[in-house]
Amino acid sequence: MATEPNGQELTRWKIHGERLVDDTRRDRVSIASVELPDGVKFEQWVFRIRPAAMMAVLDDQDRVLMLWRHRFIIDRWVWELPGGYVNPDEDPAVTAAREVEEETGWRPLDVEPLGLLQPIVGSADAENRLYVARRSEYIGEPADINEAERVAWIPLDTVRERILKGEIVGAASQVALLHILAFYR
């Protein structure tokens, strides 16, 4: 049993089992039989999603490199940071840099970790590794034409307004950008 530093025992939900609903190369969906510390039992959908990595690329004009793309699940056009799923046995920083190059045509330089994000911890294990690059070099047109309608350098001083207007809605993009606004300027 886990305990607090003061010796107090921590309560923990009990998992009595999970039954698989679907298993693909990116996602695993199941239904867990759960019991709360007070004895209440219920079933909970569980999503285990392959880890992803995302990068905020900054320039010397106080801008961030972003993608304008349509997300069919929410049927909206949104600004997002480049990123993608981490391949098995791949360093997430390498994934993030590769995705920036493929999706934008820019090579990130001076890459640093920003942190780890779990966007929907009540229902999913969907680890997102966040990175920042303080410089980049243009290497050519994006290799993947399916990723974005356009690639643009967005002034950092417009990020909060874009979030309020619903133009930046992705959790990982918001967390990375708000972290940069708070600590990297």
Side-chain angles (χ1 to χ4, degrees):
M1 172 74 52
T3 59
E4 292 279 359
N6 65 7
Q8 181 179 352
E9 286 187 10
L10 297 171
T11 59
R12 189 177 180 135
W13 293 17
K14 293 178 188 170
I15 310 301
H16 293 288
E18 280 187 47
R19 58 183 196 276
L20 184 64
V21 175
D22 196 13
D23 194 1
T24 69
R25 67 184 182 95
R26 289 191 181 151
D27 309 316
R28 181 182 173 99
V29 180
S30 61
I31 299 175
S33 176
V34 180
E35 182 179 344
L36 299 178
D38 67 2
V40 171
K41 295 179 181 178
F42 63 96
E43 290 190 329
Q44 170 76 39
W45 284 89
V46 178
F47 304 91
R48 299 186 194 288
I49 301 167
R50 206 164 98 203
M54 182 172 281
M55 187 176 300
V57 180
L58 307 176
D59 71 4
D60 59 2
Q61 296 175 47
D62 215 22
R63 300 178 305 178
V64 61
L65 187 61
M66 297 194 77
L67 308 170
W68 180 246
R69 65 190 326 173
H70 181 258
R71 285 298 188 180
F72 79 92
I73 294 171
I74 59 173
D75 194 21
R76 292 183 56 183
W77 287 91
V78 295
W79 286 107
E80 291 183 355
L81 297 174
Y85 292 109
V86 178
N87 291 328
D89 301 321
E90 184 177 37
D91 180 333
V94 171
T95 300
R98 175 179 44 76
E99 292 290 335
V100 169
E101 287 188 28
E102 290 173 2
E103 296 176 359
T104 71
W106 289 83
R107 176 169 292 140
L109 305 170
D110 303 328
V111 174
E112 302 172 31
L114 276 182
L116 175 120
L117 165 71
Q118 282 279 1
I120 47 178
V121 294
S123 301
D125 179 0
E127 178 180 291
N128 283 230
R129 294 283 178 165
L130 306 176
Y131 297 89
V132 61
R134 296 184 182 271
R135 299 182 312 113
S136 62
E137 63 184 1
Y138 184 70
I139 59 170
E141 289 297 312
D144 191 342
I145 62 168
N146 297 313
E147 290 294 336
E149 183 68 22
R150 70 179 180 266
V151 175
W153 289 96
I154 303 298
L156 283 170
D157 63 2
T158 68
V159 164
R160 287 194 325 225
E161 177 185 339
R162 291 174 192 274
I163 290 171
L164 285 171
K165 289 174 23 182
E167 293 180 8
I168 302 172
V169 298
S173 291
Q174 283 191 6
V175 168
L177 291 167
L178 291 172
H179 185 90
I180 288 164
L181 289 175
F183 302 113
Y184 276 76
R185 295 179 77 189

